[in-house]
């Protein structure tokens, strides 16, 4: 379990981090949130919608996410900040599907201290988030203290 209490994680808008996905169960702590803590060396902070292109890209870099049971194109998944940034830098433009769209209301604020700017995240934000930071979803599902989950077993 994280040493940082789960109810203290904030999103990139500095508001309570929203639940992202429980099917499949995502997050470094496998609790549905893209929250990070000291045990998360990969900073699994980016809440993203997986694309075939990103899955291929990640596999080509040695992290085959398709090996995670139930994980496929179209799934919501918490990604390592560095891998998402690497895909963005390899992209041929904002519409290149190698870069998964980001859900800002569920992206941990630590992404902003790990090489990404709010401007970049907004550029790749899922609609309608690009305009309003989560719309009606923001703040509706904050982290519940005492959330339990296993730690992710992914390679980087």
């Amino acid at each position: 379990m994280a040493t940082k209490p789960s109810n203290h994680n904030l999103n990139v808008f500095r508001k309570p981090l929203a639940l992202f996905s429980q099917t499949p169960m995502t997050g470094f702590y496998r609790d549905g949130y893209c929250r990070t803590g000291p045990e998360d060396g990969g900073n699994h902070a980016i809440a993203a919608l997986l694309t075939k292109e990103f899955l291929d890209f990640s596999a080509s870099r040695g992290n085959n996410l398709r090996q995670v049971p139930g994980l496929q194109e179209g799934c919501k998944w918490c990604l390592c900040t560095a891998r998402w940034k690497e895909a963005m830098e390899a992209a041929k433009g904002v519409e290149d599907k190698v870069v998964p769209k980001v859900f800002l209301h569920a992206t941990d604020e630590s992404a902003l201290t790990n090489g990404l700017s709010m401007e970049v995240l907004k550029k790749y934000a899922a609609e309608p988030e690009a305009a309003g930071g989560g719309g009606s979803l923001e703040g509706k599902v904050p982290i519940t203290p005492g959330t339990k989950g296993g730690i992710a077993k992914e390679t980087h």
Side-chain angles (χ1 to χ4, degrees):
M1 231 19 233
T3 55
K4 181 178 181 183
S6 59
N7 62 331
H8 292 177
N9 286 75
L10 301 176
N11 65 26
V12 294
F13 297 110
R14 307 245 189 296
K15 300 204 183 230
L17 190 66
L19 177 69
F20 189 51
S21 177
Q22 293 181 313
T23 309
M25 189 63 79
T26 192
F28 179 78
Y29 299 103
R30 292 295 190 261
D31 59 3
Y33 295 90
C34 296
R35 64 188 181 95
T36 64
E39 306 89 353
D40 183 4
N43 190 254
H44 293 74
I46 305 294
L49 186 65
L50 294 178
T51 62
K52 175 191 176 304
E53 293 80 0
F54 178 80
L55 290 168
D56 291 343
F57 178 81
S58 186
S60 76
R61 300 300 196 269
N63 189 13
N64 187 356
L65 294 172
R66 289 183 179 102
Q67 293 177 343
V68 176
L71 199 59
Q72 60 190 349
E73 175 182 5
C75 287
K76 291 180 174 181
W77 198 246
C78 299
L79 299 175
C80 293
T81 303
R83 179 71 72 218
W84 186 90
K85 183 179 179 188
E86 186 180 355
M88 181 202 60
E89 290 170 347
K92 298 186 179 19
V94 176
E95 296 305 315
D96 191 334
K97 291 187 178 188
V98 75
V99 187
K101 294 296 181 188
V102 177
F103 292 81
L104 302 173
H105 68 285
T107 294
D108 193 272
E109 69 177 339
S110 64
L112 299 173
T113 58
N114 280 278
L116 295 176
S117 69
M118 188 62 149
E119 179 183 343
V120 166
L121 290 173
K122 282 184 175 182
K123 189 185 300 186
Y124 291 95
E127 293 298 333
E129 292 213 333
S136 62
L137 295 175
E138 187 167 348
K140 297 234 181 202
V141 191
I143 291 176
T144 303
T147 302
K148 297 198 183 326
I151 294 178
K153 304 285 192 245
E154 297 178 23
T155 59
H156 304 285

